[in-house]
Structure formats: C-alpha cells, structure tokens
Amino acid sequence: MSDLPMGVKRITDSNIVVSGHQKGGALGLLFGVVGVAIQSAANTDAGGKRTNDIQDALRFDVAGRASELASGILAEESFRGGYTLATEESPSAVSVVPYIVLTYVNETDVRPYIVLKTKLEPEAGSKKPRTIKYFCCEGPAMPLVGEGSLTENNGEKLKALLNTELDTALRIMLTDRRQPFARNDDAKLDVNGSLPFVGKSFKWRGWDLGSYKDYKLIEFRGGILVFGGVHAVEPGALEITPYVKKQK
C-alpha cells in the first residue's frame, strides 16, 4: 500500500510507473495511499497523455532481466555459495519484486529509477515479513521523447541505462542481505534534491549506511514513505550534509 503515491501512471502490461508530473504540491507524493488523494485521477490521466505514444519504447522486462543478472552475479566468486536461487514458496527465500519509476524533474526530462522490493523473514517476536526497498538511479535527467531522448531508437538509451542500474541495485541488495550494512541510529544526514516519485527538489532526513564503490548509500526510514529504503546515490546527485541537532 505504500509503494505508489497518488496520481502515478502505470504503463499497461509492464512494471513501469510514471510519476513527478502530478500537480497540487509534493506532500501527497511522499506517501502511499494514505497520502493526499486530491487530483489523483486527473494526474493519472496527465501521465498517460505523456506516454501514450511511446509505450512500446518503454517496455523492459525488468523481472526477466533481474533473474538473468542475478544468476550471473551469484556465480561470481565474491557471491558464490552465499545464495541459491529458490522458488518463492521456499521458507528461506527472499522475495524480490523489481519495478521501474520514471520520475519527471521538469516538463520534459525524467530520471529512471530501478526499485527492488524485498520481503525478508519476520523479526523476532513478529509474524509480519520485513520489507526493504533498494533504489538505484544513474546519470543526469534526460528528455523522455524526441531527438537524443531516452526513447529514441525504440528506447535504446533507456534500456541500456536500466540494465546498468538493475545490476548495481542487485549487487547492493545481495551484499546487504549477506552482511547487512551498519545501521547507526546516530548517523543522520540532511538530504536535498529530487527523489523517486517526487520531481521537485526538497529536503529530507536520511541515514548514512556507508558506501558501495562510488555510491553513497543512504537509507530513508518510514514504512509509508514511497521512497523509503536504501538508495545508491552517485557523487553530486544529491546535496548531502551531516545532520546538526538544533540547540534548544
């Protein structure tokens, strides 16, 4: 229920949603269905008009590609023996649902995000599975349509970008599941910039999980936040500063 904000447009027969185009303020985009519902239908229709003519170029079998990439990654020496591919019915299986969020940052340009939604075994004393989402977005925002756009040549640039983002997200997720990143409640950060689903820049509180290669790993906490989870942030993609507690 917390995966999508109001007014997103889902591309038919795909795991791709379009967001950031919604009008009426950013507050309702921060949360799932408990967020602001005003103008939802109109916003969904607006997203559809932007993508009606390019739906074929947007199609990307993210689930099938995730399975292929995961098989290759798990065969690598650094991951070998740490995991085995299992059916979803296996009691020890980690369920992974991949999807794509195309987030408009202005009237023409989008940033494509890969999202991996994982369900883990319940914590001690709980019967409810834990959910952690992993986000990856690489490169600057680009036009969605037109010459030099992400959907030019049947989405050639978009699909290449999604492949690299998916590979990165899978590696970070598998690393965190094998040996969880240190989660220090005091390692707070102030983050300013555009996040998935919300095209407008804004400030939010995150937690520092360290780094993975050149990526800064930031976790946004809160079960009802649509962008809640672990984010792989490229250098310069967001303005990140240490949290300073205000003096009373």
Short mmCIF file of all heavy atoms in Angstrom, two decimals, residues 52-103:
data_model
loop_
_atom_site.label_atom_id
_atom_site.label_comp_id
_atom_site.label_asym_id
_atom_site.label_seq_id
_atom_site.Cartn_x
_atom_site.Cartn_y
_atom_site.Cartn_z
N ASN A 52 1.49 7.91 -23.94
CA ASN A 52 0.65 7.09 -24.82
C ASN A 52 1.34 6.69 -26.12
O ASN A 52 1.15 5.57 -26.62
CB ASN A 52 -0.66 7.83 -25.14
CG ASN A 52 -1.65 7.79 -23.99
OD1 ASN A 52 -1.55 6.94 -23.12
ND2 ASN A 52 -2.59 8.73 -23.98
N ASP A 53 2.14 7.57 -26.68
CA ASP A 53 2.74 7.32 -27.99
C ASP A 53 4.09 6.60 -27.92
O ASP A 53 4.68 6.30 -28.96
CB ASP A 53 2.92 8.64 -28.74
CG ASP A 53 1.59 9.32 -29.05
OD1 ASP A 53 0.59 8.59 -29.17
OD2 ASP A 53 1.57 10.55 -29.16
N ILE A 54 4.59 6.33 -26.73
CA ILE A 54 5.94 5.74 -26.61
C ILE A 54 5.94 4.47 -25.75
O ILE A 54 6.99 4.03 -25.30
CB ILE A 54 6.94 6.75 -26.01
CG1 ILE A 54 6.42 7.27 -24.66
CG2 ILE A 54 7.20 7.91 -26.98
CD1 ILE A 54 7.45 8.08 -23.89
N GLN A 55 4.78 3.88 -25.55
CA GLN A 55 4.72 2.75 -24.62
C GLN A 55 5.56 1.57 -25.09
O GLN A 55 6.16 0.87 -24.27
CB GLN A 55 3.26 2.34 -24.40
CG GLN A 55 2.47 3.41 -23.65
CD GLN A 55 1.20 2.86 -23.02
OE1 GLN A 55 0.99 1.66 -22.94
NE2 GLN A 55 0.33 3.76 -22.57
N ASP A 56 5.62 1.33 -26.40
CA ASP A 56 6.45 0.22 -26.89
C ASP A 56 7.93 0.45 -26.58
O ASP A 56 8.66 -0.48 -26.22
CB ASP A 56 6.25 0.03 -28.39
CG ASP A 56 4.90 -0.57 -28.72
OD1 ASP A 56 4.27 -1.15 -27.82
OD2 ASP A 56 4.46 -0.44 -29.89
N ALA A 57 8.38 1.70 -26.72
CA ALA A 57 9.78 2.02 -26.43
C ALA A 57 10.10 1.92 -24.95
O ALA A 57 11.26 1.73 -24.57
CB ALA A 57 10.12 3.42 -26.94
N LEU A 58 9.08 2.01 -24.11
CA LEU A 58 9.30 1.95 -22.66
C LEU A 58 9.35 0.53 -22.13
O LEU A 58 9.80 0.31 -21.00
CB LEU A 58 8.18 2.71 -21.93
CG LEU A 58 8.12 4.22 -22.11
CD1 LEU A 58 6.91 4.78 -21.38
CD2 LEU A 58 9.39 4.88 -21.59
N ARG A 59 8.90 -0.42 -22.90
CA ARG A 59 8.78 -1.78 -22.38
C ARG A 59 10.16 -2.39 -22.11
O ARG A 59 11.04 -2.39 -22.97
CB ARG A 59 7.98 -2.66 -23.33
CG ARG A 59 6.57 -2.14 -23.50
CD ARG A 59 5.64 -3.17 -24.09
NE ARG A 59 4.36 -2.55 -24.40
CZ ARG A 59 3.44 -2.24 -23.50
NH1 ARG A 59 3.67 -2.49 -22.24
NH2 ARG A 59 2.31 -1.67 -23.86
N PHE A 60 10.30 -2.91 -20.90
CA PHE A 60 11.55 -3.53 -20.46
C PHE A 60 11.18 -4.62 -19.49
O PHE A 60 10.54 -4.37 -18.46
CB PHE A 60 12.44 -2.47 -19.79
CG PHE A 60 13.76 -2.99 -19.28
CD1 PHE A 60 14.83 -3.18 -20.14
CD2 PHE A 60 13.93 -3.28 -17.93
CE1 PHE A 60 16.04 -3.64 -19.66
CE2 PHE A 60 15.14 -3.74 -17.45
CZ PHE A 60 16.20 -3.93 -18.32
N ASP A 61 11.56 -5.85 -19.80
CA ASP A 61 11.21 -6.99 -18.95
C ASP A 61 12.11 -6.99 -17.73
O ASP A 61 13.10 -7.73 -17.67
CB ASP A 61 11.35 -8.30 -19.75
CG ASP A 61 10.93 -9.52 -18.94
OD1 ASP A 61 10.38 -9.35 -17.83
OD2 ASP A 61 11.18 -10.65 -19.41
N VAL A 62 11.78 -6.15 -16.77
CA VAL A 62 12.66 -5.97 -15.61
C VAL A 62 12.73 -7.24 -14.77
O VAL A 62 13.79 -7.58 -14.23
CB VAL A 62 12.21 -4.76 -14.78
CG1 VAL A 62 10.84 -4.96 -14.18
CG2 VAL A 62 13.23 -4.44 -13.70
N ALA A 63 11.63 -7.99 -14.66
CA ALA A 63 11.65 -9.22 -13.86
C ALA A 63 12.52 -10.28 -14.53
O ALA A 63 13.35 -10.93 -13.88
CB ALA A 63 10.24 -9.73 -13.65
N GLY A 64 12.33 -10.47 -15.83
CA GLY A 64 13.14 -11.45 -16.54
C GLY A 64 14.61 -11.09 -16.55
O GLY A 64 15.48 -11.95 -16.36
N ARG A 65 14.91 -9.81 -16.77
CA ARG A 65 16.29 -9.37 -16.79
C ARG A 65 16.92 -9.48 -15.41
O ARG A 65 18.10 -9.84 -15.28
CB ARG A 65 16.37 -7.92 -17.29
CG ARG A 65 17.79 -7.44 -17.51
CD ARG A 65 18.46 -8.22 -18.61
NE ARG A 65 19.84 -7.79 -18.80
CZ ARG A 65 20.87 -8.62 -18.95
NH1 ARG A 65 20.67 -9.93 -18.91
NH2 ARG A 65 22.08 -8.16 -19.13
N ALA A 66 16.15 -9.20 -14.34
CA ALA A 66 16.67 -9.34 -12.98
C ALA A 66 17.07 -10.78 -12.70
O ALA A 66 18.09 -11.04 -12.07
CB ALA A 66 15.63 -8.86 -11.97
N SER A 67 16.25 -11.72 -13.15
CA SER A 67 16.56 -13.14 -12.95
C SER A 67 17.86 -13.53 -13.68
O SER A 67 18.71 -14.23 -13.13
CB SER A 67 15.40 -14.00 -13.43
OG SER A 67 15.66 -15.37 -13.26
N GLU A 68 18.02 -13.04 -14.91
CA GLU A 68 19.23 -13.34 -15.68
C GLU A 68 20.47 -12.75 -15.01
O GLU A 68 21.50 -13.43 -14.86
CB GLU A 68 19.10 -12.77 -17.09
CG GLU A 68 18.03 -13.45 -17.95
CD GLU A 68 17.84 -12.74 -19.28
OE1 GLU A 68 18.58 -11.75 -19.53
OE2 GLU A 68 16.97 -13.16 -20.06
N LEU A 69 20.38 -11.49 -14.62
CA LEU A 69 21.52 -10.85 -13.98
C LEU A 69 21.86 -11.49 -12.65
O LEU A 69 23.03 -11.69 -12.32
CB LEU A 69 21.23 -9.36 -13.78
CG LEU A 69 21.27 -8.48 -15.03
CD1 LEU A 69 20.77 -7.07 -14.71
CD2 LEU A 69 22.69 -8.41 -15.60
N ALA A 70 20.84 -11.83 -11.87
CA ALA A 70 21.07 -12.44 -10.57
C ALA A 70 21.80 -13.78 -10.71
O ALA A 70 22.71 -14.09 -9.93
CB ALA A 70 19.76 -12.63 -9.82
N SER A 71 21.41 -14.55 -11.71
CA SER A 71 22.09 -15.85 -11.94
C SER A 71 23.57 -15.64 -12.21
O SER A 71 24.42 -16.37 -11.70
CB SER A 71 21.43 -16.58 -13.11
OG SER A 71 20.08 -16.90 -12.82
N GLY A 72 23.89 -14.63 -13.03
CA GLY A 72 25.28 -14.36 -13.33
C GLY A 72 26.04 -13.83 -12.13
O GLY A 72 27.19 -14.23 -11.87
N ILE A 73 25.43 -12.94 -11.37
CA ILE A 73 26.09 -12.36 -10.19
C ILE A 73 26.38 -13.44 -9.15
O ILE A 73 27.45 -13.49 -8.56
CB ILE A 73 25.22 -11.24 -9.59
CG1 ILE A 73 25.14 -10.05 -10.55
CG2 ILE A 73 25.77 -10.79 -8.24
CD1 ILE A 73 24.13 -9.00 -10.16
N LEU A 74 25.40 -14.32 -8.92
CA LEU A 74 25.57 -15.35 -7.89
C LEU A 74 26.63 -16.37 -8.27
O LEU A 74 27.13 -17.11 -7.41
CB LEU A 74 24.24 -16.05 -7.63
CG LEU A 74 23.13 -15.18 -7.04
CD1 LEU A 74 21.87 -15.98 -6.82
CD2 LEU A 74 23.59 -14.55 -5.73
N ALA A 75 26.99 -16.44 -9.55
CA ALA A 75 28.05 -17.36 -9.98
C ALA A 75 29.44 -16.76 -9.80
O ALA A 75 30.43 -17.47 -9.92
CB ALA A 75 27.83 -17.73 -11.45
N GLU A 76 29.51 -15.46 -9.52
CA GLU A 76 30.80 -14.81 -9.32
C GLU A 76 31.43 -15.26 -8.00
O GLU A 76 30.73 -15.61 -7.05
CB GLU A 76 30.64 -13.29 -9.32
CG GLU A 76 30.17 -12.74 -10.66
CD GLU A 76 29.91 -11.24 -10.62
OE1 GLU A 76 30.18 -10.62 -9.56
OE2 GLU A 76 29.45 -10.69 -11.64
N GLU A 77 32.73 -15.22 -7.95
CA GLU A 77 33.45 -15.73 -6.78
C GLU A 77 33.05 -15.03 -5.49
O GLU A 77 32.91 -15.67 -4.44
CB GLU A 77 34.96 -15.58 -7.00
CG GLU A 77 35.80 -16.18 -5.87
CD GLU A 77 37.28 -16.11 -6.17
OE1 GLU A 77 37.65 -15.76 -7.31
OE2 GLU A 77 38.07 -16.42 -5.26
N SER A 78 32.83 -13.71 -5.56
CA SER A 78 32.52 -12.97 -4.34
C SER A 78 31.15 -13.31 -3.77
O SER A 78 30.89 -13.08 -2.58
CB SER A 78 32.59 -11.46 -4.62
OG SER A 78 31.71 -11.09 -5.66
N PHE A 79 30.25 -13.86 -4.58
CA PHE A 79 28.92 -14.24 -4.11
C PHE A 79 28.70 -15.74 -4.08
O PHE A 79 27.71 -16.20 -3.51
CB PHE A 79 27.84 -13.61 -5.00
CG PHE A 79 27.70 -12.12 -4.85
CD1 PHE A 79 28.28 -11.25 -5.75
CD2 PHE A 79 26.99 -11.59 -3.78
CE1 PHE A 79 28.16 -9.88 -5.60
CE2 PHE A 79 26.85 -10.22 -3.63
CZ PHE A 79 27.44 -9.36 -4.54
N ARG A 80 29.60 -16.50 -4.68
CA ARG A 80 29.39 -17.93 -4.83
C ARG A 80 29.22 -18.60 -3.46
O ARG A 80 30.00 -18.38 -2.54
CB ARG A 80 30.56 -18.55 -5.57
CG ARG A 80 30.31 -19.98 -6.06
CD ARG A 80 31.51 -20.46 -6.87
NE ARG A 80 31.76 -19.57 -8.01
CZ ARG A 80 32.96 -19.34 -8.49
NH1 ARG A 80 34.02 -19.90 -7.94
NH2 ARG A 80 33.11 -18.53 -9.54
N GLY A 81 28.19 -19.41 -3.32
CA GLY A 81 27.94 -20.12 -2.07
C GLY A 81 27.13 -19.34 -1.06
O GLY A 81 26.65 -19.90 -0.07
N GLY A 82 26.96 -18.04 -1.31
CA GLY A 82 26.21 -17.23 -0.36
C GLY A 82 24.71 -17.34 -0.53
O GLY A 82 23.94 -17.16 0.42
N TYR A 83 24.29 -17.63 -1.75
CA TYR A 83 22.87 -17.71 -2.07
C TYR A 83 22.63 -18.86 -3.04
O TYR A 83 23.53 -19.29 -3.76
CB TYR A 83 22.37 -16.43 -2.74
CG TYR A 83 22.45 -15.18 -1.89
CD1 TYR A 83 23.56 -14.35 -1.97
CD2 TYR A 83 21.40 -14.83 -1.06
CE1 TYR A 83 23.63 -13.19 -1.20
CE2 TYR A 83 21.46 -13.67 -0.31
CZ TYR A 83 22.58 -12.86 -0.38
OH TYR A 83 22.64 -11.72 0.36
N THR A 84 21.40 -19.30 -3.08
CA THR A 84 20.95 -20.19 -4.15
C THR A 84 19.61 -19.66 -4.64
O THR A 84 18.82 -19.11 -3.86
CB THR A 84 20.77 -21.64 -3.67
OG1 THR A 84 19.86 -21.66 -2.55
CG2 THR A 84 22.11 -22.24 -3.25
N LEU A 85 19.34 -19.82 -5.93
CA LEU A 85 18.04 -19.43 -6.46
C LEU A 85 17.00 -20.44 -6.00
O LEU A 85 17.19 -21.64 -6.10
CB LEU A 85 18.09 -19.36 -7.99
CG LEU A 85 18.98 -18.26 -8.57
CD1 LEU A 85 19.01 -18.36 -10.09
CD2 LEU A 85 18.47 -16.89 -8.15
N ALA A 86 15.89 -19.95 -5.48
CA ALA A 86 14.87 -20.82 -4.93
C ALA A 86 13.50 -20.36 -5.40
O ALA A 86 13.34 -19.26 -5.92
CB ALA A 86 14.92 -20.80 -3.39
N THR A 87 12.51 -21.22 -5.22
CA THR A 87 11.15 -20.83 -5.54
C THR A 87 10.63 -19.92 -4.44
O THR A 87 11.13 -19.92 -3.31
CB THR A 87 10.24 -22.06 -5.65
OG1 THR A 87 10.18 -22.71 -4.37
CG2 THR A 87 10.78 -23.03 -6.69
N GLU A 88 9.62 -19.15 -4.77
CA GLU A 88 9.05 -18.22 -3.79
C GLU A 88 8.45 -18.95 -2.60
O GLU A 88 8.35 -18.41 -1.50
CB GLU A 88 7.99 -17.36 -4.46
CG GLU A 88 7.52 -16.19 -3.62
CD GLU A 88 6.61 -15.27 -4.39
OE1 GLU A 88 6.63 -15.31 -5.64
OE2 GLU A 88 5.87 -14.50 -3.76
N GLU A 89 8.09 -20.22 -2.80
CA GLU A 89 7.47 -20.99 -1.72
C GLU A 89 8.50 -21.48 -0.70
O GLU A 89 8.15 -21.93 0.38
CB GLU A 89 6.72 -22.20 -2.29
CG GLU A 89 5.45 -21.84 -3.07
CD GLU A 89 5.76 -21.25 -4.44
OE1 GLU A 89 6.87 -21.50 -4.94
OE2 GLU A 89 4.90 -20.53 -4.98
N SER A 90 9.78 -21.39 -1.02
CA SER A 90 10.81 -21.85 -0.09
C SER A 90 10.75 -21.03 1.19
O SER A 90 10.66 -19.80 1.14
CB SER A 90 12.20 -21.72 -0.72
OG SER A 90 13.21 -22.00 0.24
N PRO A 91 10.79 -21.69 2.37
CA PRO A 91 10.66 -20.95 3.64
C PRO A 91 11.78 -19.95 3.88
O PRO A 91 11.60 -18.99 4.63
CB PRO A 91 10.66 -22.06 4.69
CG PRO A 91 11.30 -23.23 4.03
CD PRO A 91 10.93 -23.14 2.59
N SER A 92 12.93 -20.13 3.26
CA SER A 92 14.06 -19.22 3.48
C SER A 92 14.26 -18.25 2.31
O SER A 92 15.24 -17.52 2.28
CB SER A 92 15.34 -20.03 3.71
OG SER A 92 15.64 -20.82 2.57
N ALA A 93 13.34 -18.26 1.38
CA ALA A 93 13.51 -17.44 0.18
C ALA A 93 13.34 -15.95 0.50
O ALA A 93 12.52 -15.57 1.34
CB ALA A 93 12.50 -17.85 -0.89
N VAL A 94 14.14 -15.13 -0.18
CA VAL A 94 13.98 -13.68 -0.14
C VAL A 94 13.21 -13.29 -1.39
O VAL A 94 13.69 -13.46 -2.51
CB VAL A 94 15.34 -12.96 -0.11
CG1 VAL A 94 15.14 -11.44 -0.16
CG2 VAL A 94 16.13 -13.33 1.14
N SER A 95 12.00 -12.81 -1.22
CA SER A 95 11.17 -12.40 -2.35
C SER A 95 11.66 -11.05 -2.86
O SER A 95 11.83 -10.10 -2.09
CB SER A 95 9.71 -12.30 -1.92
OG SER A 95 8.93 -11.71 -2.94
N VAL A 96 11.88 -10.96 -4.19
CA VAL A 96 12.35 -9.71 -4.79
C VAL A 96 11.41 -9.33 -5.93
O VAL A 96 11.23 -10.10 -6.87
CB VAL A 96 13.78 -9.84 -5.34
CG1 VAL A 96 14.24 -8.50 -5.94
CG2 VAL A 96 14.75 -10.30 -4.25
N VAL A 97 10.80 -8.15 -5.83
CA VAL A 97 9.92 -7.65 -6.87
C VAL A 97 10.56 -6.40 -7.46
O VAL A 97 10.67 -5.37 -6.79
CB VAL A 97 8.52 -7.31 -6.32
CG1 VAL A 97 7.65 -6.73 -7.44
CG2 VAL A 97 7.87 -8.54 -5.72
N PRO A 98 11.01 -6.46 -8.72
CA PRO A 98 11.63 -5.28 -9.33
C PRO A 98 10.61 -4.45 -10.11
O PRO A 98 9.68 -4.99 -10.72
CB PRO A 98 12.65 -5.90 -10.29
CG PRO A 98 12.04 -7.20 -10.70
CD PRO A 98 11.14 -7.65 -9.56
N TYR A 99 10.77 -3.14 -10.07
CA TYR A 99 9.96 -2.29 -10.93
C TYR A 99 10.73 -1.01 -11.25
O TYR A 99 11.85 -0.79 -10.74
CB TYR A 99 8.58 -2.01 -10.34
CG TYR A 99 8.52 -1.37 -8.97
CD1 TYR A 99 8.32 0.01 -8.82
CD2 TYR A 99 8.61 -2.14 -7.82
CE1 TYR A 99 8.23 0.59 -7.57
CE2 TYR A 99 8.51 -1.57 -6.56
CZ TYR A 99 8.33 -0.20 -6.43
OH TYR A 99 8.23 0.36 -5.19
N ILE A 100 10.16 -0.20 -12.12
CA ILE A 100 10.84 1.00 -12.65
C ILE A 100 9.96 2.21 -12.40
O ILE A 100 8.75 2.16 -12.61
CB ILE A 100 11.10 0.84 -14.16
CG1 ILE A 100 12.02 -0.36 -14.42
CG2 ILE A 100 11.69 2.12 -14.75
CD1 ILE A 100 11.95 -0.86 -15.85
N VAL A 101 10.58 3.28 -11.95
CA VAL A 101 9.87 4.54 -11.74
C VAL A 101 10.52 5.62 -12.61
O VAL A 101 11.68 5.97 -12.42
CB VAL A 101 9.91 4.99 -10.27
CG1 VAL A 101 9.14 6.30 -10.09
CG2 VAL A 101 9.34 3.91 -9.36
N LEU A 102 9.78 6.10 -13.60
CA LEU A 102 10.23 7.24 -14.41
C LEU A 102 9.72 8.50 -13.74
O LEU A 102 8.52 8.75 -13.69
CB LEU A 102 9.69 7.14 -15.83
CG LEU A 102 10.07 5.90 -16.64
CD1 LEU A 102 9.41 5.95 -18.01
CD2 LEU A 102 11.59 5.80 -16.80
N THR A 103 10.64 9.29 -13.20
CA THR A 103 10.27 10.48 -12.43
C THR A 103 10.59 11.74 -13.21
O THR A 103 11.76 12.02 -13.49
CB THR A 103 11.00 10.50 -11.08
OG1 THR A 103 10.67 9.33 -10.34
CG2 THR A 103 10.58 11.73 -10.27
#
